[in-house]
Amino acid sequence: MKRSTVRKVEDILRDYPKIDKYIERREEELRYPTTPDDENVGGGRATMTRNEAPLRAIITIDEDRRIHALKRQREIVDDCLDGVGHDTETIIGELYFKRHPRYTLTGLVENNLVGVGKARAYELRNDFIRECAKNLGLYDL
């Protein structure tokens, strides 16, 4: 698997605990859009003003691509986590979901936090990343 694909999946896994906040923030942006400041302070009236609000495409929350992408990523990671064992959950949780990981993959094995050896731990992590990449549609070209 390409290193760039692995890095992309790892970035998605690191963002996984914050996806709900990202979705909430985007929904707030759509509900309460900011209006540009009027820089014509003290100026006269404009002679030909049009109301352009109907012309602008208002993106609803149901149609927003970013929200759909975030929800899709969350569902894919949830599905991948549902299909793995306890050791893989521990590895992924420690390496990617914690804000400040306490252990590395080798540290998890040496401190007996996972019940597998070092080679098998790397294999579990790589299999999980490969499965997520496949479900996300990130293919190696």
Side-chain angles (χ1 to χ4, degrees):
M1 182 179 302
K2 280 186 176 180
R3 193 74 181 146
S4 60
T5 305
V6 172
R7 292 288 180 217
K8 178 67 177 168
V9 173
E10 287 177 338
D11 287 342
I12 290 170
L13 290 174
R14 285 188 185 99
D15 279 345
Y16 175 76
K18 300 175 250 179
I19 284 181
D20 290 331
K21 290 180 186 175
Y22 294 155
I23 293 172
E24 184 179 324
R25 189 176 306 144
R26 179 63 180 158
E27 287 175 353
E28 291 295 318
E29 287 175 8
L30 295 174
R31 282 191 189 112
Y32 309 108
T34 58
T35 56
D37 293 335
D38 184 14
E39 295 181 11
N40 190 14
V41 177
R45 288 187 173 162
T47 57
M48 301 200 48
T49 59
R50 292 189 332 212
N51 185 5
E52 294 186 14
L55 300 176
R56 288 188 214 125
I58 298 175
I59 301 174
T60 62
I61 293 172
D62 293 334
E63 297 171 346
D64 189 57
R65 287 184 179 185
R66 193 178 335 166
I67 291 176
H68 281 293
L70 290 169
K71 286 181 179 177
R72 182 175 170 268
Q73 287 176 1
R74 182 181 59 197
E75 289 172 7
I76 288 171
V77 173
D78 284 340
D79 291 344
C80 288
L81 283 172
D82 288 342
V84 298
H86 175 70
D87 290 335
T88 306
E89 282 184 27
T90 303
I91 291 168
I92 300 303
E94 179 65 32
L95 296 179
Y96 302 112
F97 296 164
K98 286 190 176 179
R99 187 172 181 182
H100 302 292
R102 186 172 175 194
Y103 298 103
T104 61
L105 189 59
T106 308
L108 289 170
V109 173
E110 290 173 354
N111 291 308
N112 294 324
L113 296 174
V114 292
V116 295
K118 185 176 167 183
R120 179 69 178 143
Y122 277 102
E123 186 179 315
L124 289 173
R125 183 199 63 184
N126 293 340
D127 289 345
F128 183 81
I129 289 174
R130 193 173 299 113
E131 183 68 22
C132 284
K134 184 179 86 174
N135 292 341
L136 287 166
L138 301 173
Y139 301 108
D140 287 331
L141 300 175

